[in-house]
Amino acid sequence: MVFKRLMKAMGVGGPSVETVLANPNCRPGGQLEGRIQVLGGDHQVDIDHVTLGLVTRVEVESGDNNYDTTQEFHRQRVTGAFRLEPGQRHDIPFRFDVPWETPVTELYGQHLHGMTMGLRTELEVARAVDKGDLDAVSVHPLPAQERLLDALLRLGFRFARADVERGHIYGVRQTLPFYQEIEFSPAPQYARSINQLEVTFIADPQQMQVVLEVDKRGGVFTEGRDAFGRFTVDHATADRTDWTAELDGWLRQSLQRRGLFS
């Protein structure tokens, strides 16, 4: 009897949890739908709650060192307390809201190298949290984001990698503690002037802020420096702009001002 109580306290023979997504694909500002299956173990338990959390890998700069960590950035409780009998199955349907600033993981029909995203299920039993299940999630660009990214592709830029960096961008309204940078290798017409182009989107229900960062090549007597551009795009009117011409114009003007493009 003492051994059984000890095993119970250690969680052995306890409930198990599995999350089944109706569709793992979503967009920022959308929803993920599915159901959580909680299966009772060898003994009766009281479940305090079941919670879902969206997690991603984040790069952290600390002094001279960089390291990656897994960070939860949005959580949602899907049920309150309930009792689970031995062997009993408890199904919980859910709709999980995806934040507007959620990083994109898919682009041009392919997974973005460097990106991870998952929906984690937490089951709390008697003040002990079981991380339970972790399901991969694919986040596709918003239509306005697609238009800008497609414009870069038409200009000849090539996707290189993406990452998520902890911190806030100066002068940008931002609710999450990190931001995504999507990095592109330069188009041929810019290759002599810049090393790479980084794009960041910070979206909300009405619009998105776009931050462009150009890593310039250094000359014989000059050091390479970065140039920044920032503008706002309304979701409702994004399709009324020729983004290929707009982005090409901004890049040419930025480089010409510094004598790096003629």
Side-chain angles (χ1 to χ4, degrees), residues 7 35 59 63 86 92 145 150 154-156 171-172 188 193 254 259:
M7 297 293 284
R35 69 183 187 277
E59 181 179 323
I92 308 165
Q145 294 171 339
D150 286 345
R154 287 192 294 272
L155 285 171
V172 173
S193 304
S254 175

Side-chain angles (χ1 to χ4, degrees), residues 55-72:
V55 300
T56 190
R57 186 173 59 201
V58 177
E59 181 179 323
V60 181
E61 292 187 8
S62 178
D64 296 330
N65 299 318
N66 292 351
Y67 64 91
D68 290 340
T69 185
T70 299
Q71 179 164 348
E72 180 183 270

Side-chain angles (χ1 to χ4, degrees), residues 147 149-157 189 242-244:
R147 289 184 175 91
L149 294 171
D150 286 345
L152 290 174
L153 189 65
R154 287 192 294 272
L155 285 171
F157 285 88
Q189 64 269 34
D242 183 348
W243 290 111
T244 304

